[in-house]
Amino acid sequence: LSAYPGRFKTQNQIHCGERVSGNQSLTGFLGRTEAFLAFVIKYEAMKKAKTYFIFTFGCQMNKSDSERVAGDYQARGYKAAKNVDSADEIIINTCSIRKSAEDRARSLINNLAQKFRGMAKKPKIILTGCMIHHGEENLLRMLPFVDEILPISEVGFNSAAVRRDKRHAWIP
């Protein structure tokens, strides 16, 4: 209760200041306890809401996949981060059709690794998209800063996508 000052009475204050005999007083006490627990759950959820940031390289399909990934994260209670510095998880959706796209993704991962090196709070870096055709072992050897390899085909089909493009049709 001390973490939430002034919001609720302690159990001792309720017993000392009010009559606790009879079902009505006990019901009132239980109602306040339920309200307090609901407040704590909501407060803790807001305080600990994790954030994500998505980088997308490549084609329209990758943009659609990134929207699907964002929908999955939001369904799990994550919030979109305003920038990469405030993100708890960074998802990099890659393209491997052209070598330049792979080079940009590798460069980004290396830049992020340098940026967060030595910091106490490091975001989790997740690699997904076409580039994972190289295989998990090869990618982790080439990019040791990546924390997780995520096959794009396994993400986001249980929740609605977060649409950023309001002009074009989207067919799931």
Side-chain angles (χ1 to χ4, degrees), residues 3-4 37-50:
Y4 315 101
L37 290 176
F39 169 78
V40 169
I41 290 168
K42 189 174 183 180
Y43 178 82
E44 293 298 322
M46 286 182 347
K47 188 173 84 173
K48 293 183 181 181
K50 289 193 169 196

Side-chain angles (χ1 to χ4, degrees), residues 6-172:
R7 294 289 298 192
F8 295 93
K9 295 180 182 179
T10 65
Q11 188 173 355
N12 289 338
Q13 289 172 324
I14 291 169
H15 285 296
C16 294
E18 300 175 11
R19 277 186 28 223
V20 190
S21 61
N23 288 338
Q24 194 170 21
S25 296
L26 185 57
T27 304
F29 173 73
L30 292 176
R32 284 189 296 278
T33 303
E34 288 175 359
F36 172 72
L37 290 176
F39 169 78
V40 169
I41 290 168
K42 189 174 183 180
Y43 178 82
E44 293 298 322
M46 286 182 347
K47 188 173 84 173
K48 293 183 181 181
K50 289 193 169 196
T51 58
Y52 68 93
F53 191 86
I54 301 176
F55 285 100
T56 305
F57 294 96
C59 64
Q60 294 297 326
M61 185 63 180
N62 282 19
K63 288 180 184 176
S64 175
D65 288 342
S66 291
E67 290 173 347
R68 201 176 70 236
V69 169
D72 183 61
Y73 270 85
Q74 288 184 9
R76 292 187 286 144
Y78 282 71
K79 304 286 181 202
K82 301 237 185 279
N83 56 46
V84 71
D85 296 324
S86 62
D88 293 310
E89 294 191 14
I90 300 170
I91 301 96
I92 303 167
N93 191 359
T94 62
C95 176
S96 64
I97 301 300
R98 295 199 171 111
K99 186 166 178 3
S100 64
E102 279 192 28
D103 292 341
R104 285 187 317 216
R106 282 190 193 124
S107 178
L108 172 67
I109 293 167
N110 288 328
N111 289 340
L112 290 172
Q114 287 179 351
K115 181 177 193 154
F116 294 112
R117 182 173 292 154
M119 294 179 75
K121 181 190 172 229
K122 294 181 185 178
K124 182 177 184 180
I125 298 176
I126 300 168
L127 186 68
T128 190
C130 307
M131 201 168 149
I132 66 167
H133 75 84
H134 291 297
E136 189 169 341
E137 286 182 25
N138 289 335
L139 285 170
L140 292 174
R141 195 174 337 105
M142 290 187 315
L143 303 164
F145 312 110
V146 171
D147 297 305
E148 185 178 336
I149 306 293
L150 181 68
I152 195 67
S153 61
E154 296 178 6
V155 169
F157 290 102
N158 296 330
S159 53
V162 176
R163 292 287 292 140
R164 298 202 192 312
D165 185 358
K166 304 295 183 200
R167 233 174 84 192
H168 299 96
W170 182 71
I171 300 170

